[in-house]
Amino acid sequence: MSGSGSNSLWGSRFEGGPSEALAALSRSVHFDWRLAGYDIAGSLAHIKALHQAGYLTSPELAALEKHFTELLRRVQSGSFLPKDSDEDVHGALERGLIEIAGAELGGKVRAGRSRNDQIATLIRKYLLDSADAIEVLVLDLVKVLTDRAEENMGIAMPGRTHFQHAQPVLLSHHLLAHAWPLVRDLERLEDWRKRASLSPYGSGALAGSTLGLDPRLVASELGLSGVTQNSMDATASRDVVVEFAFVCSLIGINLSRFAEEIIIWVSAEFDYAKLDDAFSTGSSIMPQKKNPDIAELARGKAGRLIGNLTGLLAMIKGLPLSYNRDLQEDKEPVFDAVDTLTVLLPAFTGMVATLKFNKNRLEMLAPAGFSLATDVAEWLVKQKVPFRDAHEITGKLVSFCEQNDLQLHQVPDADMAAISPKLTPEVREVLTVDGSIRARAGAGGTALPRVLEQIANLRKLLSKKDA
């Protein structure tokens, strides 16, 4: 290995070592070291396959298991770390194993596998564990949203479309509207797990192995559900990684949408809510400031998560089969996605849990902007007026209110009748926020019984996840 440079796994046919520039560019151990534990787990599974196929004796297997356990202990304690001369996590750990086991025994482990099928498996195991951690954090936020909806039952607020007043809704209904997208994100993760839980081990560099090792044994040892079907696809494809990044970006986007509303809600102009001191920041120059930094960072980090996804998509879009070194770039984006969500979600959840809502302000503004106009039009439909006519009559009523600086319920009966004889005094039955909300009792509506159903369904989902 004189031509390979220190601790390289590939240089036996080279007369000289890599240039410093190439070594620096190739080096990945500074970011893939977080996979060290997964690499050792893969090696422990791999040596069992080597033993089953007759390439390791039982004493050798027992010795290697002991040595890998010691290596893992050193990695976890920090007493074994990568060196600048290590190219990647695989090379660093082989060096560590040989330091413990010796070159002859330690040198047997590499038989029947390639870094290509190793890394394709390790990244799946890492992402599966990361998905579990992210799921717990998302569930925490869903629980808090459900709790806040239950705490604020019956409070009306303006519902908006195009960011204009549209129809009154319950605050609880609005909060739960942010819970359901997160539930769908969890469903996407669950579906993704089926594809991620397949082991590429045994694919070798691209064409499989001639040593007769059992890839199903390795998959079983690693807790994976099966093996991949095509060795070239297994080593060359990263759609599982991209799909994980996509779900992470959707989680970030869903946080960002709510963050945008919170930023608006806590402004002086809206005054819908106030941030808790523990989940807001101040200004270095303006003593009065209380800034929604968590919400703003959520918006910013959503862009970062989208960038991770688009970078991965661009990286894989034109790669010929099978493995290409471009695929070294698959890890940092998803490492960053995991790190971003695991630091963002607890802060975001704390912000939502401690948000104080201004009930009086919300209920005062619920009927603003003629938000009960649709109720008038639908009341007319119930009186057998064609909706086309009902829409026009109600539009004229709104126009009259605007010209005379009145709210819908303030229009005298005579003026109602002058606009249309269809607008009888009975129309006032629907000119209340409470009546409007109660009337919207259809599937998915904002009426209290439907909100209670949502809470019950979310509680059931949360209890299943806890079980």
Side-chain angles (χ1 to χ4, degrees):
M1 297 188 61
S2 59
S4 65
S6 299
N7 304 327
S8 171
L9 301 180
W10 50 264
S12 56
R13 59 91 67 211
F14 286 77
E15 295 298 327
S19 67
E20 289 185 12
L22 172 58
L25 179 62
S26 296
R27 190 171 186 265
S28 62
V29 73
H30 55 291
F31 60 80
D32 65 19
W33 184 244
R34 73 168 67 191
L35 298 176
Y38 296 96
D39 192 289
I40 292 172
S43 293
L44 283 166
H46 179 64
I47 61 175
K48 288 187 178 180
L50 287 171
H51 172 256
Q52 184 189 66
Y55 298 103
L56 291 174
T57 66
S58 294
E60 286 175 329
L61 173 64
L64 281 170
E65 288 177 332
K66 178 181 176 182
H67 297 326
F68 272 120
T69 300
E70 172 60 18
L71 179 58
L72 179 61
R73 185 196 68 78
R74 294 183 186 185
V75 168
Q76 291 174 338
S77 69
S79 62
F80 179 80
L81 294 169
K83 296 180 177 179
D84 289 343
S85 56
D86 292 321
E87 184 177 25
D88 55 30
V89 62
H90 316 296
L93 290 174
E94 181 170 289
R95 172 177 61 80
L97 176 65
I98 289 172
E99 287 176 6
I100 298 169
E104 183 176 353
L105 182 58
K108 292 187 175 185
V109 175
R110 206 195 309 169
R113 70 178 183 183
S114 162
R115 288 185 297 178
N116 295 359
D117 60 348
Q118 271 186 274
I119 194 60
T121 307
L122 305 188
I123 193 64
R124 289 167 181 248
K125 282 292 295 177
Y126 169 82
L127 293 179
L128 284 163
D129 284 351
S130 298
D132 290 345
I134 289 169
E135 180 182 58
V136 170
L137 297 175
V138 173
L139 284 168
D140 287 344
L141 178 53
V142 172
K143 181 180 184 303
V144 163
L145 285 166
T146 307
D147 291 343
R148 298 312 312 270
E150 197 163 38
E151 291 166 13
N152 292 279
M153 200 72 71
I155 299 174
M157 68 175 291
R160 297 171 182 272
T161 62
H162 306 275
F163 206 63
Q164 306 298 307
H165 283 252
Q167 294 172 345
V169 297
L170 290 178
L171 171 59
S172 299
H173 192 59
H174 193 128
L175 292 172
L176 294 175
H178 287 294
W180 291 110
L182 295 170
V183 170
R184 293 193 294 274
D185 290 335
L186 295 177
E187 292 170 347
R188 291 183 182 98
L189 275 181
E190 187 62 31
D191 187 61
W192 166 85
R193 285 185 178 96
K194 292 184 293 188
R195 290 176 287 283
S197 189
L198 296 176
S199 173
Y201 244 100
S203 297
L206 78 158
S209 169
T210 65
L211 298 185
L213 307 183
D214 183 0
R216 289 172 180 79
L217 171 62
V218 176
S220 176
E221 288 291 322
L222 291 175
L224 298 173
S225 62
V227 298
T228 50
Q229 298 296 306
N230 183 291
S231 59
M232 294 179 73
D233 171 53
T235 55
S237 296
R238 291 296 187 270
D239 53 310
V240 165
V241 177
V242 175
E243 190 178 357
F244 177 85
F246 168 69
V247 177
C248 288
S249 69
L250 270 184
I251 293 171
I253 287 167
N254 287 326
L255 296 181
S256 183
R257 292 179 66 201
F258 194 15
E260 174 72 7
E261 290 188 332
I262 290 171
I263 291 164
I264 294 165
W265 288 358
V266 301
S267 67
E269 291 80 3
F270 272 70
D271 192 26
Y272 283 9
K274 284 186 168 51
L275 293 164
D276 188 84
D277 287 355
F279 292 93
S280 55
T281 65
S283 165
S284 60
I285 190 172
M286 295 172 284
Q288 84 282 7
K289 291 298 294 298
K290 195 172 189 180
N291 298 325
D293 279 22
I294 292 173
E296 291 171 348
L297 286 166
R299 280 191 315 195
K301 289 183 183 296
R304 180 173 181 151
L305 291 163
I306 294 167
N308 290 330
L309 172 62
T310 55
L312 284 167
L313 289 167
M315 183 265 290
I316 66 170
K317 71 175 180 60
L319 296 185
L321 291 174
S322 58
Y323 182 84
N324 296 273
R325 191 62 182 274
D326 311 50
L327 296 177
Q328 179 173 299
E329 298 301 308
D330 70 334
K331 286 171 282 299
E332 286 182 285
V334 283
F335 290 169
D336 182 75
V338 170
D339 292 345
T340 296
L341 286 179
T342 52
V343 74
L344 173 59
L345 278 162
F348 197 96
T349 300
M351 174 184 65
V352 175
T354 57
L355 203 61
K356 296 178 178 64
F357 295 103
N358 187 342
K359 174 183 176 181
N360 293 335
R361 175 77 171 165
L362 289 167
E363 295 200 322
M364 179 187 76
L365 291 174
F370 309 109
S371 66
L372 300 174
T374 306
D375 294 271
V376 174
E378 291 180 348
W379 178 86
L380 287 167
V381 169
K382 292 174 184 177
Q383 313 311 308
K384 310 304 182 186
V385 177
F387 186 77
R388 180 183 180 87
D389 296 338
H391 191 286
E392 184 176 345
I393 291 167
T394 306
K396 289 179 179 178
L397 174 61
V398 170
S399 178
F400 178 86
C401 290
E402 286 179 327
Q403 293 168 14
N404 293 277
D405 195 24
L406 297 171
Q407 293 298 314
L408 293 172
H409 69 278
Q410 295 174 324
V411 178
D413 289 347
D415 291 321
M416 287 262 200
I419 292 167
S420 170
K422 304 290 186 181
L423 290 172
T424 63
E426 288 73 22
V427 73
R428 298 188 186 282
E429 296 171 4
V430 301
L431 291 180
T432 66
V433 168
D434 182 60
S436 174
I437 289 173
R438 277 190 288 105
R440 302 191 183 282
T446 191
L448 188 58
R450 301 292 81 77
V451 172
L452 290 170
E453 283 178 0
Q454 292 182 65
I455 290 172
N457 288 332
L458 286 167
R459 295 276 187 227
K460 190 181 302 182
L461 182 149
L462 290 164
S463 67
K464 284 182 181 178
K465 291 292 185 179
D466 287 339

